[in-house]
Amino acid sequence: MAEKEIALLQKQREKLADKSFDLEAWKKQTTLFLHRIFGADHAIVRMITELKYDYSSWNLRDATGNEKSDDPVKMQADEILEAAILELESLGLPDPASSTEKVWELMEEELTGKQFKALKAIVESTKKNKLGKVQEVLGGMEKENLISILSRILIS
């Protein structure tokens, strides 16, 4: 199962209670771990990235009252990590094949139908020299298309 990943996220939850807690440093570290576990485009990663302190006058007024004794950002962060841990416990680690499927989806969006079918046929074939044939198909493409494909793969 995902014991190592769960233990790592538990440590991040514990860091929320540190007296010298730095939200930005904690977010960067946690985001690195979550990227590796869930992938960059997972909702949990986005929620951690979007955590921030709200210094608006209404929020400051509420924070100075006795209504809330806990830090709302830390509480949110803890709940998000708890959800991530529950997901790992219930569903296990994400399937790495899904990232391959994502690459094919991006390729399909950027290539012509003929190019996409040709690449798919080459990759799925049992013939030797697949690399050379894939390079041949990609070599016939416009440089801008190749840049667009590679950029989208790297960002996703």
Side-chain angles (χ1 to χ4, degrees):
M1 195 158 117
E3 290 88 13
K4 292 179 201 173
E5 290 81 0
I6 292 170
L8 189 63
L9 295 180
Q10 287 290 9
K11 286 181 185 176
Q12 289 305 106
R13 286 181 77 189
E14 291 168 10
K15 287 182 180 183
L16 291 169
D18 287 350
K19 288 188 186 241
S20 62
F21 177 76
D22 177 0
L23 178 64
E24 291 305 312
W26 179 88
K27 280 174 35 176
K28 287 178 184 174
Q29 188 179 45
T30 305
T31 302
L32 286 172
F33 298 147
L34 291 172
H35 274 200
R36 184 173 175 136
I37 296 168
F38 294 107
D41 58 340
H42 196 278
I44 290 174
V45 176
R46 281 194 306 274
M47 285 189 273
I48 291 291
T49 305
E50 293 170 0
L51 284 174
K52 65 181 177 188
Y53 285 103
D54 183 9
Y55 295 109
S56 69
S57 60
W58 285 102
N59 196 40
L60 288 174
R61 180 201 58 148
D62 290 343
T64 57
N66 291 332
E67 298 171 17
K68 295 180 183 176
S69 61
D70 290 333
D71 183 335
V73 174
K74 287 183 180 181
M75 289 171 54
Q76 265 188 310
D78 187 59
E79 291 293 325
I80 294 167
L81 287 182
E82 184 179 351
I85 290 168
L86 286 172
E87 181 174 333
L88 289 171
E89 289 173 343
S90 302
L91 305 175
L93 289 168
D95 183 15
S98 63
S99 61
T100 304
E101 292 170 12
K102 182 74 172 171
V103 170
W104 279 111
E105 287 175 20
L106 294 171
M107 296 284 284
E108 188 172 22
E109 291 174 13
E110 292 294 327
L111 299 173
T112 65
K114 183 178 180 180
Q115 291 168 326
F116 180 77
K117 287 177 186 176
L119 279 177
K120 195 82 163 163
I122 293 167
V123 171
E124 292 174 351
S125 75
T126 57
K127 296 179 182 177
K128 295 181 180 179
N129 194 20
K130 289 184 192 181
L131 182 62
K133 292 181 181 184
V134 168
Q135 289 173 341
E136 186 180 310
V137 172
L138 294 177
M141 293 177 58
E142 297 281 331
K143 182 179 176 181
E144 292 78 21
N145 287 6
L146 292 172
I147 291 171
S148 177
I149 291 169
L150 185 55
S151 301
R152 293 184 68 191
I153 289 171
L154 291 173
I155 291 174
S156 68

